[in-house]
Amino acid sequence: MNKPVLPMSSYQLKLPTANRSIETYRLAASRTFPAKLEGTLNRVAFSAAHVVADPLADNDPWLSPAIDWDLTIAFREHVWDLGLGVAEAMDTAQRGMGLDWPTSLELIQRSVKAAKAKGNALVFSGAGTDHLAVEDARTIDDVIRAYEEQIAAVEKAGGRIILMASRALAKLGRSADDYAKVYNRVLSQVREPVIIHWLGDMFDPALAGYWGTGDLDEAMDTAVAIINANAAKVDGVKVSLLDKQREIDMRRRLDKNVKMYTGDDFNYAELIAGDEQGFSHALLGIFDAIAPAASYALSRLAAGDEAGFHDVLGPTVPLSRHIFRAPTRFYKTGIVFMAYLNGHQDHFTMVGGQESTRSTLHLAELFRLADRCGLLSNPELATRRMKAMLATRGIES
């Protein structure tokens, strides 16, 4: 398992380069990963899963979402088979970035139902305030009511909650006290402990100044104080700041019963491995694109094979850093492109038409990096689909 069988592949294609030339690229010998979890895990690991658009729907993609529900749920079953949890209706699913609240709620309901049918597979779902237009949010109490409405809907569906960051709160919250009022009120009402998501403004510019300040040190003080004061209602916190030292510092300050879920798509391998003072669990968008490798690597870590863990997961980091490069909010395009290359959907169409947010050069480099870390599960299919995409952009193989 997981050993190259040939020094090089027989597949090749023409790819554009940064100097505007075209090179003949020959694929590396592929690695193979189990389709289902083998062994056990000693980290809780969520994949923030994408949605599969319906390319045949008669809709206006910029204005209204159309989802292929069968393939969307099938992808979640693929993630669950690998022993990973699903973080549902998050930013990876284009939540608030093409996916509106009514469609998000339907997604949550369908996913929770599928998880129960799968033997109570692990799924937590995003509850936020995105049905409240930022311009309509007048007071902090408006934000609280919006959170309460979505929390009630997720709990009614039988779901566990990821408490998402609120654009309306980012607009109205001026101090630590404002944020404490919202989170204390909301957390006092949840049925089961939640995961709190601190999403940085590199992922969503509308969240600049979250926790009432642009100073990240002060913001962390506020966040830690609120979380630790409500530790009985908090399963963990997901930090998406792409700053490994801040995550480590916060991890060491959290109540011992509160998990840290890394959201650092640049440094996840070393953060999950941890150090003598602790480690991070995972809730990552990149685990959508690299789920088979992530599952196998985590199983090696649980077996005490840290070298094997790094051998598999380490080479995926350059791919992740490329997919999540600035403007980071466009990372969803790379996630969906990986799903297309690997046969999880038969088209490269996205909610909101966001397949257009990355350049041909960006996608070509993604292909190279995915190949080098063994994440093109069917090289023949991936090569054929890459050629088809390039042909639409003027590059014929």
Side-chain angles (χ1 to χ4, degrees), residues 107-122:
L107 173 63
I108 290 166
Q109 292 166 337
R110 288 173 177 267
S111 190
V112 169
K113 182 179 179 181
K116 292 184 185 303
K118 196 78 173 172
N120 291 317
L122 183 61

Side-chain angles (χ1 to χ4, degrees), residues 114-358:
K116 292 184 185 303
K118 196 78 173 172
N120 291 317
L122 183 61
V123 57
F124 275 53
S125 303
T129 68
D130 48 318
H131 64 292
L132 172 65
V134 172
E135 60 271 18
D136 293 336
R138 307 297 182 193
T139 69
I140 292 296
D141 285 335
D142 291 338
V143 177
I144 292 172
R145 282 190 291 270
Y147 267 128
E148 289 172 339
E149 183 177 337
Q150 292 202 13
I151 287 169
V154 175
E155 289 183 338
K156 183 179 179 181
R160 296 288 300 275
I161 287 168
I162 300 170
L163 202 61
M164 301 176 71
S166 166
R167 291 173 177 172
L169 182 53
K171 170 196 171 186
L172 296 172
R174 293 289 178 266
S175 67
D177 288 343
D178 288 336
Y179 282 81
K181 178 180 179 181
V182 172
Y183 280 89
N184 289 344
R185 181 85 63 82
V186 169
L187 289 171
S188 71
Q189 301 176 56
V190 296
R191 292 178 186 170
E192 297 181 89
V194 308
I195 296 172
I196 291 176
H197 188 191
W198 180 0
L199 187 67
D201 58 5
M202 69 287 294
F203 288 90
D204 184 352
L207 296 175
Y210 211 72
W211 305 110
T213 176
D215 184 310
L216 284 177
D217 292 330
E218 293 179 10
M220 186 175 292
D221 289 342
T222 298
V224 169
I226 291 170
I227 292 163
N228 286 348
N230 293 278
K233 291 299 186 91
V234 180
D235 170 82
V237 55
K238 166 182 162 66
V239 178
S240 300
L241 298 176
L242 304 182
D243 184 329
K244 67 177 181 181
Q245 192 56 51
R246 286 190 186 280
E247 178 179 316
I248 291 169
D249 292 344
M250 188 174 188
R251 185 172 75 198
R252 292 173 179 171
R253 296 174 62 184
L254 291 175
D255 181 283
K256 64 181 177 61
N257 295 312
V258 175
K259 301 181 187 74
M260 171 59 75
Y261 290 97
T262 185
D264 189 335
D265 299 278
F266 284 5
N267 302 291
Y268 50 89
E270 58 188 291
L271 290 164
I272 293 168
D275 56 31
E276 66 283 353
Q277 296 186 51
F279 57 83
S280 295
H281 299 276
L283 198 166
L284 289 160
I286 194 59
F287 274 18
D288 177 303
I290 70 167
S295 170
Y296 184 67
L298 289 168
S299 73
R300 298 314 309 152
L301 185 65
D305 180 10
E306 188 166 341
F309 166 82
H310 286 294
D311 175 63
V312 173
L313 208 59
T316 71
V317 173
L319 170 66
S320 185
R321 290 180 176 179
H322 180 71
I323 288 174
F324 284 80
R325 68 184 297 180
T328 302
R329 64 186 183 276
F330 295 149
Y331 77 88
K332 277 80 72 176
T333 302
I335 297 292
V336 173
F337 192 58
M338 283 287 293
Y340 169 62
L341 292 176
N342 282 323
H344 294 293
Q345 55 195 83
D346 55 11
H347 58 84
F348 180 38
T349 303
M350 294 178 64
V351 171
Q354 289 199 33
E355 65 272 14
S356 66
T357 66
R358 292 298 200 186

Side-chain angles (χ1 to χ4, degrees), residues 82-97:
L82 290 164
L84 307 179
V86 168
E88 191 55 274
M90 303 294 290
D91 51 295
T92 308
Q94 298 177 241
R95 177 74 176 273
M97 307 168 192

